[in-house]
Each structure stands twice: as structure tokens, then as C-alpha cells.
């Protein structure tokens, strides 16, 4: 019989967390002056360099076709010369150089060939970590405690003092689901209770009570990953889900808000009230006999629904989610895989909500280069080896995360991003309301979201055409949802880059 | 409406695979003489160096306790000084140096601080790939085609010409499941058929027909990962599965074989016949009305069940699995996450089966450092973005995989491992039958499996005690199953290392 008694002892010794002792924002390393982010890339181009009539050009196409002989290539945009890419500028196989406002699907934080990262790559610490990969859960390196504290520890969300390290965003979310289910059942079972023989045997047959019929609640248009658990919570597009068996987990409609928020406060508050009521109804009914899905153990939500179309909600909506989940004993998972690490003008997008109590989990990946989730001791599993795998993250990518965080802090990149975002927002607002965008693009989002901005084409075709026109003019952008164009520049994106983007956008709109 | 017509065109242009044109084993790079693997580590210790009475020693314990304040540490063995580890020898925080026969849960292929890998880390190609991480599915680097062909392409299993790259073993298996489900439904639907409106809308609610009730068949004691799909196919231990919702997928008993195979041929053939009949029965009944689980789309099997206790079967059993899956239109996934990359005395363990036709998928991770699966065009999804994610693998880890493969080939490490494995097997056989192991350890496995060997303690307690005694004597080993001790040395493990192991084993057994 496996006992969960050991949990109490383990927890007792962990009441004070070292992570908790680290100040939430590590003081910036002393610099004579905070340098301009331009200084990171003194040789950045000042304008695009486009030499082929179409992108992908002939060399990109040839290389892509060759890849297509052994691997999916219909998803290729173009083939990239990473060695020649610099800062905000991406170079392709044909010698085109584009302003990159997509940044490897929002996953490059501080620019291509950032000198701080190139220097890190040459250190003995990095080489040792990369070429001697640890099974972190069992044989951590001597520097692991210090490394975690000086990386993830310096940017931990308020109130969350523990961390689970993983390999990618989907894994981060799925491991947070697992932790939620275990903690939910532990609470039902009571701290001192042992697993029953029935639980032990039924789980080996994938049957309840050992494999309980619990569920994760998510929103329409949500994207949380594409493995079997995360895909069951993902509701973005049919093409992501078709033919894949799913858990019968519930879904609630994302609030039907209008933009900009500052001009639609009353209507949006009503729409959010409707969505919150639906969330409570889904949770309550999940626990009643005859429910078509199992009890909701956790709710997962993105601060800004990204893949699903850049859909926003107000801080009070998220406060409402925190209240209703707390009221009904449901864990709240904030998925910051795409919003995290600064682009919204805060290190974590959810910092802007000023929640009365922290979420239970905050997941991350992408710009951090390393993945995982923050949580608290309450959601550490009762016994070891319950949430475990071979690598449990990656020390080399953790070193990279530490350098990214340091560079962000040294160069004040989050405040700068917030400022640049406001600059772009205002200009885009004008272009849409009074300028070249009228009748072609609409519904600007991101009033208070740094450079995490988006707008729609009036139709999906307009959006798709605009992306291709922008690319020909030397600006690389990405879409999301049915007809949205999302801005995902890096944190080293400045007003001068914004001016290039805005200039090309006006040109492209004029040609539409 | 999304159409699958595009698939035909895409497939037509891909009939000849570049991967297919690469010879299955790349000719070894020319060397005046094939050097001894010793030459890789001229400064390897010749014997263990143990200076603390217990391992973990005080420094390991202190560092582990500190990690425990923010992360699970009850799973820690000891804390490792990777910079000081060398070849087959692992150094810990206290200065102990142990012969490592567990190798980060079987995931280090060519030794700690291998000079070939350290040299790779310093190349511009590696630094560019690491610090400018590509979203491979959309913006692959200019060298991707050449890199894949000269890495994964040189060791592709016979008959499998396509590859899907991923991040870890669980992801590799889950993406193979997804590819199986999509290909299974495509076959049911017919090549030219479009998705129906019902499929499109029902999948968004996680309901059939869009989210079909299909299943993966696996074996008792199997381990295929710990995310929601892979965990549903994993049947190793209750602690891996308790409290986690699972798909209602079927399971069949692993054949009840006896060891050594050479002395139990007739009985084992009978046991395997029973298991094969159960597999066929599970598949056939899954397709009948009233089945408690959905139609079996794929069967997943490890060549040697590893985490589940090092359970073997004969080549004819696997041939039987290939025959029965082919007969019933079920895909066969061979999970080589732990068995792959040489330790069984073949690059892929399934090469020793001489199957009449190849499996549909071969998954890998661990020693390859990169992860993914091999397959054929038939199982490429009908449309782009159906099996897709942000990173789609890791170019830096692919460079590392290429170097690992080259070092293995240059130093002839697979043949050597096969030879060393036979040497150890014979000695262990004697120790168990006639020597210090009598009545303490038993059931030696791995007659023809390189150094991928295992034996049982007579009880779980004996096994656990033996592992701890071996550690005190300076040999680091790992368990699996209920009472098995598994040997997982690296491919640079030679007779001289085996002699240290065997000597210490006899000493430890004498003390039990």
C-alpha cells in the first residue's frame, strides 16, 4: 500500500521556501548608466532589404522542397539564415532581410544573435550543462539551487514560491493539470488518507476510482497545447483537434467584449458577468449527479487568448475567475506560455490584474526558452515520483533563461516595451480610424498590453493578403484566429523599428 | 470546409525521399585505425573513489535540501558535479567518484565530457542553433535538410524514410499516437473525402465523430511516458497513474516468458502465442458493437520493457505483432526511447527481429538527446498544421545527436557494446548460478541484448539494499520494476569497467 503520510513530513520541512526569500525582482546589476537597447545591436539594419519578388524566394523554396521529402514542409514560411539574422532583423536563404514582428511564434525575447547569449554559449558552465544533460529530478547538478534562484526565482509571480521545470509549453500545462488532479483528490481524500486497494488496481486499468473522471475547464478559442491533455483544453480551430480522441471536458464561452475597453466599459462588464456566471454554472453542475462531464478540478485561462485571435478581457474578469474558482475549490491555472516574459509591458501579463490572491499555477515557455510552472507547496504531490520524468527540464535552457532575464533587467526592456507598445497603439488607432486602414483593418486590441497588439482584417482574405504584402515590403508578421494579425515583436523592438513597421503598413494598406 | 484533397498533391511530390537516398549506415569517417574507445578518455579513473560513508554525503544532502525548498527533492539520488565527471565516471558534490551504470536514466550515450561533444559546443554552428532557436515547422534554418540527413538520416530504421522531430520521449510517443489516429481515420474516410460539418463542429466540443473514440493498445508493465495520452498507454506502476484521468484504452498481458530464452524456447513460444492471441482478440473485439473501448488504431510496444522491469520477448513474438497488426489495419509503434541508440548491441533494438515488413513508427529520445519518430509518407497528416507545435524539435540537440552518431560510428561502439555485453552476461550468469549471487539475485536477462542487461533481487528489499551497497562501493546503478536491477552503462563501457563492476558486485553480494 502506498501511503501519503510521507507528504506531511516532506511538507513540514519545506514551509520556508528559498525561492520565497529571493526578492521578487532581483536588483538590476549595477551599470554606470542603463544603456539603450540599441547598443546591443550596433550593426542592426535601419531598413528592410528585399531582393526577391516573392518570399519565399527560389533558394528558400528549393531548401523547403528538399525538407519536404522527409518532413512536413507545407507549414514553412521561409527558410532562415540564422547566422546572418541580427537583433530585430531576420535574414532568409535568398539574402532578404526582414523586420521580424513574429519572432519564431513569439519565442525570441532579446533579439537574434544577442551578444549576451553568444557570450553565455562560450562559458564552461553552459558547455558543461549542454553536453552532460542531467536527469534533473534525480541527479541535479551542484549549481541547480543557485541557478534556479538566480533565474526563475528572480521573476517568480507574487505569492508563488515553488517551481516545476519542464521542456515545452504543452508539457508545462499538462504537468500543471496533473498536479491539479493530484491535489484535488488529496483534498477529497484527506491529508492522512492512504490510497485504497481499489484505487491502486483500477488505475492500472485506466478506470475510476484510481483514474478518476475529473475535468479541466477552458474557454472557447483557448489554446493550451496539442498533446492529449492540453489539446482537450484547446478550442482554437478544428484543424488542431480533428480525429484526435479527447477527454470530455467542459468549455465556456469567452466573454463577448468590444474594443477598445476604455470606450466599452459598461457593455464589457456585462459580457464578462455573463461569462463568469457560465463558469460558475459549469463548475457547480460538474459536481452534480448526472453531469455529462466529471467534476472540474482546475480552470485554465490565457491572460490574452493568443492563437485563438488575441482576445482580451478586463482585470476584473480575471479577479472574478479567481473568486469563483476559490469559492468552489477549483485550481486556477494561468497559461502565460505566450504572454509571459515581458511583451505585454509586465514580466507576467497577470501582474496587471492585481488579484486579491495569486493563481494556483502560472505556466511558461517560449520566450523563456525553458518551460515549467510556478505553484505553491499545497500542489506538490503527496509522494515522490508522482509527477516526474527523465529530464525534468533542461539546465542549459535554464542558463539561457537566466541570461535573458538579466538582459531584460539590465536594459530595462519591459518598461521600454510598454512605452513602445503605447506608441504603436496610438499610431495604429489613427491608421485604422482615420488613415490608410479604414475599411480594410479594424478592431485594434492591446490598449494596455505593451507590444502585444493585434487587429483584424475585415475578412480572412484581407488579413492573409496583408501579411503577404508586408512580407514583400520587408516586414515579417503572423496571423492568429480567423482574421487577426498579431504583433509579436521582441523586447528589443524600439520606436525606430515601429516607424519602419508603420510606414510599411501604410504602404501595404494603400496597395490592398 | 477543410479538404483533404491537398494531401494527394503533397504526397505525389514526395514519393522519393531524400532520407531514403542516404545509405542506412553512413560510411565511417576515414581513420588510420579505428581507435579504442579508451582514447576518448585518457584520464578516466581506474577505480572508484569513495570518501563519504554514505552517498548522498553531507554536501549532496545540503544542496538537495535547499532544492527541496522550491522543488521536489525526495527523488534525488545525489547531487552531481558534472564538470568533474569523466567518461563512465560520475563525480558527486562530496568528491565521490562512481562508475556510472545508470547514465542519467539511460540517456548518456558516449560518456561525460566527451571531447567530441565539448568541441561541438564551441562551433559557430552549434552556438547559432542554440541561441537562435528556430520554430522549425515554419522557419527552418538553411542547414536543416543537410543536418537531418547527416544525423537521423544516417541511422534511419530500414524502410522508414520520414521523420517527425520533437522534444522528449513522451512527446514523441504522443505525436506518433496523433499521426496514427489521423491516418486511421483518413483510411476510413477515403483519400478524397472532406471532413464533414459534424466532424468540424463536434471536435470543438471534444465529442465524436470529430473527436473519435479510438484507442491505443499496450501491454501490462509497459512504460511509454507520463503525459495524458502516453500515460494512458503506460501500465508500469500505480504511483505513475493514480488520480490522473485516463483514456479507456485496452491492455494485454505481456507474455509470461522464462529466462534464459535459449533454455526455455518451447515454453516461451507457447507463452508468446497466448499473448498474441490476446492481442488479436483485443483488436477484433474493439471493432465490435458493445466493446467497452474504441477501435484500436495502433499498438505500442517496447523492444524490451524497461521501466516495467526489463521484460523481454523473442523476435518471433514481434514478428507476430507485426503480422496481427497488419492483418487488422492497426499501426505498430515501436517505442525505442530507452532501447535505441546502441546499448542492445544494435543501433535499434528492433533490428534484431528481422521483421518481414517494417513497423509503422519508431520513436526515440534519451541517448539521442533529440527526440521524435521515424515513419512513412502514409502517416503524414492529410493537411498541414495537424501535427504541429512551436519548436517541433531542437536544432541544437540535433547537432548533438549527429555528433553522438558519428562518435559511435568512428569508434565502432555498437559492436564493442555487444561484445562487452556478452562478456558481462557470461560472468553474471556464473555469479548467479554458482557464485556470490546464489539465493540473492536471480533471473538474468539480456542473452543477446548488448549491455542492456538486468537481474532480479530475490525480493524488492534485497534489490534496494544491493543498489545502496553498490553505491557505497563506488558503482552507481538503477532499479526497475518491482525488484529488478537494470544495467544501463554508456556505449563507452569496456571490459575494464565491467571488471570493476563485477568485482564490486561480488563484494556487495558477499555483504548482503
Amino acid at each position: 500500500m502506498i501511503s501519503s503520510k510521507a507528504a506531511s513530513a516532506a511538507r513540514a520541512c519545506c514551509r520556508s521556501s528559498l525561492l520565497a526569500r529571493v526578492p521578487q525582482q532581483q536588483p538590476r546589476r549595477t551599470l554606470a548608466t542603463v544603456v539603450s537597447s540599441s547598443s546591443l545591436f550596433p550593426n542592426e539594419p535601419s531598413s528592410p532589404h528585399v531582393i526577391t519578388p516573392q518570399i519565399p524566394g527560389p533558394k528558400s523554396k528549393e531548401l523547403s522542397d528538399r525538407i519536404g521529402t522527409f518532413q512536413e514542409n507545407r507549414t514553412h514560411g521561409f527558410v532562415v539564415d540564422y547566422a546572418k539574422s541580427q537583433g530585430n532583423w531576420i535574414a532568409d536563404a535568398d539574402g532578404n532581410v526582414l523586420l521580424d514582428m513574429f519572432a519564431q511564434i513569439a519565442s525570441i525575447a532579446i533579439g537574434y544573435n544577442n551578444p549576451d547569449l553568444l557570450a553565455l554559449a562560450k562559458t564552461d558552465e553552459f558547455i558543461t550543462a549542454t553536453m552532460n544533460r542531467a536527469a534533473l529530478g534525480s541527479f541535479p547538478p551542484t549549481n541547480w539551487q543557485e541557478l534556479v534562484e538566480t533565474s526563475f526565482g528572480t521573476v517568480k509571480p507574487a505569492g508563488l514560491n515553488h517551481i516545476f521545470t519542464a521542456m515545452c509549453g504543452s508539457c508545462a500545462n499538462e504537468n500543471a493539470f496533473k498536479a491539479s488532479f493530484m491535489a484535488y483528490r488529496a483534498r477529497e481524500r484527506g491529508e492522512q488518507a492512504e490510497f485504497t486497494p481499489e484505487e491502486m488496481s483500477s488505475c492500472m486499468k485506466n478506470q475510476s476510482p484510481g483514474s478518476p473522471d475529473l475535468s479541466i475547464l477552458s474557454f472557447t478559442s483557448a489554446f493550451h497545447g496539442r498533446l492529449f491533455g492540453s489539446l482537450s483544453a484547446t478550442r482554437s480551430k478544428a484543424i488542431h483537434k480533428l480525429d484526435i480522441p479527447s477527454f470530455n471536458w467542459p468549455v465556456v464561452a469567452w466573454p463577448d467584449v468590444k474594443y477598445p475597453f476604455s470606450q466599452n466599459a459598461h457593455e464589457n462588464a456585462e459580457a464578462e458577468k455573463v461569462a463568469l456566471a457560465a463558469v460558475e454554472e459549469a463548475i457547480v453542475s460538474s459536481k452534480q449527479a448526472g453531469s455529462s462531464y466529471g467534476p472540474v478540478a482546475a480552470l485554465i485561462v490565457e491572460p490574452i487568448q493568443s492563437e485563438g485571435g488575441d482576445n482580451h478581457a478586463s482585470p476584473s474578469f480575471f479577479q472574478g475567475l479567481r473568486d469563483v474558482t476559490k469559492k468552489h475549490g477549483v485550481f486556477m491555472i494561468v497559461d502565460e506560455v505566450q504572454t509571459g516574459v515581458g511583451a505585454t509591458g509586465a514580466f507576467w501579463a497577470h501582474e496587471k490584474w492585481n488579484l486579491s490572491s495569486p493563481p494556483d499555477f502560472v505556466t511558461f515557455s517560449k520566450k523563456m526558452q525553458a518551460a515549467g510552472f510556478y505553484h505553491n507547496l499545497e500542489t506538490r504531490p503527496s509522494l515522490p515520483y508522482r509527477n516526474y520524468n527523465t529530464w525534468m527540464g533542461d539546465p542549459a535552457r535554464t542558463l539561457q533563461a537566466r541570461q535573458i532575464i538579466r538582459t531584460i533587467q539590465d536594459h530595462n526592456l519591459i518598461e521600454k516595451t510598454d512605452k513602445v507598445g503605447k506608441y504603436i497603439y496610438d499610431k495604429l488607432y489613427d491608421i485604422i480610424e482615420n488613415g490608410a486602414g479604414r475599411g480594410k483593418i479594424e478592431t485594434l486590441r492591446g490598449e494596455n498590453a505593451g507590444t502585444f497588439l493585434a487587429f483584424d482584417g475585415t475578412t480572412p482574405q484581407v488579413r492573409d493578403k496583408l501579411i503577404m504584402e508586408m512580407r514583400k515590403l520587408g516586414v515579417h508578421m503572423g496571423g492568429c484566429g480567423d482574421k487577426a494579425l498579431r504583433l509579436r515583436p521582441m523586447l528589443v523592438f524600439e520606436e525606430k523599428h515601429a516607424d519602419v513597421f508603420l510606414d510599411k503598413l501604410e504602404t501595404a494598406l494603400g496597395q490592398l
Side-chain angles (χ1 to χ4, degrees), chain A residues 369-391:
Chain A
Q369 296 290 298
F373 60 81
Y374 295 92
H375 66 121
N376 267 322
L377 192 58
E378 178 197 11
T379 50
R380 187 186 288 191
S382 60
L383 290 169
Y385 295 111
R386 297 192 69 191
N387 223 358
Y388 177 87
N389 57 59
T390 299
W391 285 324

Side-chain angles (χ1 to χ4, degrees), chain A residues 279-344:
Chain A
V279 167
E280 183 156 25
E281 162 63 19
I283 292 171
V284 170
S285 69
S286 77
K287 302 187 183 189
Q288 288 167 348
S291 168
S292 64
Y293 45 87
V296 174
L299 170 139
I300 185 164
V301 63
E302 297 155 275
I304 301 165
Q305 288 193 328
S306 306
E307 179 65 29
D310 267 39
N311 307 315
H312 292 242
S314 71
S316 63
F317 175 68
F318 295 102
Q319 178 66 54
L321 289 179
R322 177 66 292 192
D323 293 341
V324 73
T325 49
K326 256 206 158 16
K327 177 178 169 190
H328 294 287
V330 165
F331 296 106
M332 180 172 173
I333 304 171
V334 177
D335 176 346
E336 293 246 26
V337 169
Q338 188 155 166
T339 53
V341 194
T344 68

